Amino acid sequence: MRVKGPEFKAGYVSIVGRPNVGKSTLLNRLIEHKISIVTRKPQTTRWQIRGIKSTPEYQIIFTDTPGYQNNHKNAINRYMNREVTNSLSHIDVVLFVVEAVKWGRNDALVADLLKEVSATLILVINKLDLLKERSSLLPYINNLKEKLPFAEIVPLSARRRKDVDLLESKIVAMLPSGEPLFPTDQISDRSTRFLAAEYIREKVMERLGDELPYRTSVTIDVFKDEPELLSMSATIWVERRSQRAILIGGNGKMLKSIGAEARIELENFFSKKVYLQTWVKTKKNWTEDIKALKMLGYD
Ligand SMILES: Nc1nc2c(ncn2[C@@H]2O[C@H](COP(=O)(O)OP(=O)(O)OP(=O)(O)O)[C@@H](O)[C@H]2O)c(=O)[nH]1
Ligand SMILES: [Mg+2]
């Protein structure tokens, strides 16, 4: 790794907030790659995912996290909440993401967690483009200012490039000086195999988010990466036989569509042809079963 001058900055930044506020959208925009999957359904992200942004002047290691909540209390949700709390130690900056101008029980839970955190706090008020009454923003900000000692409050839309650039410049100002912490050509801590499974899960959630919101998980059984072709075999896990039938659909139509959509995204991401086989298997009540969770990668 090239040694940088003393003015180089590097640090860790965690992105936290309740489900569906736009954390993963923000991460992807910040690092300009689709590392974390995004759907309109809450509880899309299930694990910590790091995205690394390196420039000649600085390196930021962002961690996207699952949405913090206490609506659901089963084993998978306990795992997801733990991913959030674990992301809050040994970091420099926290982006606390909320949605303009909403504040609920789960936002308050996140605020409580952050009371114990020593890192610099930035409040990111997302989805500004959806806000009809601009006049409601100031009282909202004034109310949130009382809750935690924010170093910055940044209303934005994670979908707008220039808003995200401005946020990034504010983050850089708060980073400590130091050498790069990761190789400067690395964009994530996750393997391509992991990302492939996530892309497939995204398509399942997009298609069946209403019928099977939190009941599916994806594992990759075969991952053969050759110069011209990536061959993959993936298993989509569900909790019950009835869910398996929904996922497969009449004449296998639903599974075929999911496979076709995932393949297009994977071909874009890997810039090569992808051969994808998909299977659906049942693992009874896996969201409640610690052993099954481990087998599916929630360890
Ligand atoms: N209009 C608008 N929609 C947004 C914006 N940012 C995110 N979204 C949408 O909000 C939904 C949730 O976005 P995600 O990025 O998956 O949210 P998240 O906080 O990562 O959600 P979880 O992983 O479930 O905790 C998606 O449909 C996004 O397209 C924004 O700035 N404006
Ligand atoms: Mg997410």
Side-chain angles (χ1 to χ4, degrees), residues 156-186:
L156 53 65
S157 169
R159 289 181 174 173
R160 277 201 296 253
R161 179 75 269 152
K162 70 175 181 17
D163 287 8
V164 175
D165 287 347
L166 182 70
L167 171 66
E168 188 171 322
S169 64
K170 290 182 188 295
I171 296 168
V172 173
M174 292 167 186
L175 292 183
S177 300
E179 296 293 314
L181 300 154
F182 282 78
T184 50
D185 59 353
Q186 188 175 338

Side-chain angles (χ1 to χ4, degrees), residues 249-265:
N251 293 328
K253 233 173 144 181
M254 177 59 77
L255 188 61
K256 265 195 212 124
S257 310
I258 288 169
E261 283 172 13
R263 192 171 51 76
I264 292 167
E265 282 241 8

Side-chain angles (χ1 to χ4, degrees), residues 24 37 45 64-65:
S24 304
I37 60 169
T45 306
D64 185 19
T65 63

Side-chain angles (χ1 to χ4, degrees), residues 196-198 200-201 204 216-220 234-237 296 298:
E198 288 288 88
I200 297 167
R201 195 165 63 79
V204 175
T216 54
S217 206
V218 176
T219 53
I220 303 290
T235 301
I236 305 167
W237 296 89
L296 296 174
Y298 303 88

Side-chain angles (χ1 to χ4, degrees), residues 33-34 199 203 230 260-274:
H33 284 95
K34 187 171 159 183
Y199 271 54
K203 296 304 163 217
L230 173 64
E261 283 172 13
R263 192 171 51 76
I264 292 167
E265 282 241 8
L266 291 165
E267 286 185 343
N268 279 337
F269 186 82
F270 290 103
S271 303
K272 65 175 79 168
K273 278 250 161 266
V274 170

